[in-house]
Amino acid sequence: MLQGDKEQLKLGEHLVTIAACHDCHTPKKMTDKGMEMDFSKALSGHPATLPPPDVNREEVEKKGLVVTQTLTAWVGPWGISYAANLTSDETGIGNWTEKHFFTAIRQGKHKGLETSRMLLPPMPWDMYKNMTDEELRAVFAYLKSTKPIKNVVPAPQPPVAAAERK
């Protein structure tokens, strides 16, 4: 690995840390010290095996917001959103190109595809889009260097009111 590559990966890791990517994309676990990040599942998103949040969605969607115990799924007026798998696995961003990553962050497009839906709350892509090209390249390079974790994150669910209209 070239020195420039090491520096880029180090910058990417730093940016992922200070941009709080782990807050949403790394599941949490309860320990004797309280809730902690489960780094054995670092950046793997909402665990596929967890059921949807068990709440009165209609009430929550009207009045506010609920987050799961892993802090990887949210219920709000938009429905249910799940934190994506950002690891280098094919179920994460393993098959993404740099262009996909830039499209996701700069345009807020799911999977970095220009024709796809918008990213859902609470993903703050509209803040992250202000990163420089160098910073985004570093973040992408770092994410592509992570341990691949197979985890197919559930698809988002529309709001209850929208689902009832169908």
Side-chain angles (χ1 to χ4, degrees), residues 47-92:
T49 57
L50 285 183
D54 184 19
V55 297
N56 179 331
R57 288 191 45 208
E58 189 171 6
E59 188 173 322
V60 170
E61 290 170 9
K62 286 180 185 174
K63 294 183 177 180
L65 169 71
V66 169
V67 65
T68 62
Q69 73 276 13
T70 60
L71 303 179
T72 58
W74 298 264
V75 179
W78 61 87
I80 301 177
S81 55
Y82 298 95
N85 181 348
L86 300 181
T87 72
S88 61
D89 188 77
E90 65 183 15
T91 61

Side-chain angles (χ1 to χ4, degrees), residues 11-131:
L11 174 61
E13 181 178 25
H14 172 72
L15 292 168
V16 163
T17 301
I18 66 170
C21 300
H22 286 285
D23 286 2
C24 298
H25 294 275
T26 296
K28 313 309 173 285
K29 62 183 177 181
M30 192 55 76
T31 71
D32 58 348
K33 299 175 190 168
M35 188 165 293
E36 293 184 354
M37 292 189 197
D38 183 352
F39 282 108
S40 71
K41 299 176 184 174
L43 300 169
S44 65
H46 182 77
T49 57
L50 285 183
D54 184 19
V55 297
N56 179 331
R57 288 191 45 208
E58 189 171 6
E59 188 173 322
V60 170
E61 290 170 9
K62 286 180 185 174
K63 294 183 177 180
L65 169 71
V66 169
V67 65
T68 62
Q69 73 276 13
T70 60
L71 303 179
T72 58
W74 298 264
V75 179
W78 61 87
I80 301 177
S81 55
Y82 298 95
N85 181 348
L86 300 181
T87 72
S88 61
D89 188 77
E90 65 183 15
T91 61
I93 66 164
N95 295 329
W96 285 37
T97 65
E98 190 177 86
K99 183 179 185 314
H100 290 128
F101 189 70
F102 272 65
T103 300
I105 301 301
R106 292 269 164 79
Q107 297 177 37
K109 293 296 191 163
H110 177 65
K111 296 192 180 269
L113 302 172
E114 291 183 8
T115 58
S116 67
R117 67 168 171 80
M118 296 300 292
L119 296 175
L120 297 172
M123 177 60 184
W125 68 270
D126 52 338
M127 297 296 138
Y128 297 156
K129 73 180 182 183
N130 297 302
M131 287 185 178

